[in-house]
Amino acid sequence: MQYGPCLKRSLLFPVYAGTWLAVAGWCLAETAPPADGILDDTRAFTAETHRALATELKLLSQDLKCAVWINATSFMPAGITVRRQAQITRREWSGTQPAVLMAYDRASNSSAMSFAPYFWERYPAADLVEIMQETRRIQADSKLSLDERLALATRAWIDRLRSMESVQLQQSLWLQRGEKRFALAVPALLAGGAFVAALLGFVSRRRSARAGRHFLFPEVQVGLRFGAACGGGVTSEIKTNSGAQ
């Protein structure tokens, strides 16, 4: 049986439409961030671990004011590493907002961390690199189950980020306190310096005035007494009253 061009297009339209909707749905599912912070396509987490980690991620997100996610998958596009996939997913989900994402690929049994630029500016780069290395080390421990490895690795970088944020806040408080002390000390130092400068100027003027005055004894002619020079004599007489010399 042969169909005309119009009939063929009408018959194929539902197929094309269904394919397009399926692709669109797949893309939306790939780009939409998980509501509870965990996207586990591999079912690596038990239900209990999933709920516990979701609660911990939510608390960390509130404390650090950033998005925090875990993305465990069993499929990785060809030519894409886990680290690269973690970066791509984090950017798709958060854009330029502060975010942290831990990615796990079950096919290669590998994981990677991706931090937004905000974290590289706020914390020392060496500390963030240590978090990545520690996460990979825990993931490579074959003595633990996959659920245990992922949970332990997640809690490790959660605790480390909390510690780093605590240090950052403490340092900020020290700087603020130091600035307040400095602001209070500057007027006192200026007033003290002005007083010392005035005192030194006064002392300097007194010394200059004293140095300009000379006190000299008058030269007098004294006659000889008993044949000795400077033997004494009378140079002047002052009468204080009648009858006294």
Side-chain angles (χ1 to χ4, degrees), residues 196-218:
V196 171
L199 182 60
L200 291 176
F202 175 76
V203 172
S204 178
R205 288 193 297 270
R206 288 288 301 273
R207 287 182 177 178
S208 298
R210 288 181 179 178
R213 288 182 289 179
H214 299 279
F215 300 93
L216 302 175
F217 289 104

Side-chain angles (χ1 to χ4, degrees), residues 68 120 126 134 146 178 207 209 216:
V68 186
W120 294 100
E134 179 68 9
L146 179 57
R207 287 182 177 178
L216 302 175

Side-chain angles (χ1 to χ4, degrees), residues 32-40 50 54-55 57-58 61 67-70 93:
D36 61 355
I38 301 175
L39 180 61
D40 183 16
H50 189 121
T55 300
L57 292 176
K58 182 179 180 181
S61 176
V68 186
W69 297 300
I70 298 175
W93 287 356

Side-chain angles (χ1 to χ4, degrees), residues 219-239:
E219 295 182 1
V220 296
Q221 299 295 325
V222 181
L224 295 177
R225 186 179 183 184
F226 301 111
C230 301
V234 178
T235 59
S236 65
E237 292 182 0
I238 300 175
K239 294 183 178 181

Side-chain angles (χ1 to χ4, degrees), residues 126-203:
D127 292 344
L128 296 178
V129 172
E130 287 182 3
I131 290 178
M132 296 177 178
Q133 294 173 345
E134 179 68 9
T135 302
R136 288 195 297 267
R137 186 189 66 78
I138 296 174
Q139 294 283 5
D141 189 355
S142 58
K143 293 179 293 185
L144 302 175
S145 66
L146 179 57
D147 175 79
E148 292 173 335
R149 280 182 283 154
L150 290 174
L152 185 60
T154 301
R155 292 190 171 103
W157 59 260
I158 285 178
D159 292 341
R160 187 63 182 275
L161 285 177
R162 285 189 181 280
S163 177
M164 292 162 57
E165 180 64 16
S166 177
V167 172
Q168 183 69 21
L169 292 176
Q170 193 67 31
Q171 291 177 347
S172 299
L173 290 177
W174 289 340
L175 291 175
Q176 292 175 4
R177 291 172 183 172
E179 290 174 355
K180 290 180 180 178
R181 288 196 296 266
F182 179 76
L184 294 175
V186 166
L189 291 174
L190 292 176
F195 175 77
V196 171
L199 182 60
L200 291 176
F202 175 76
V203 172

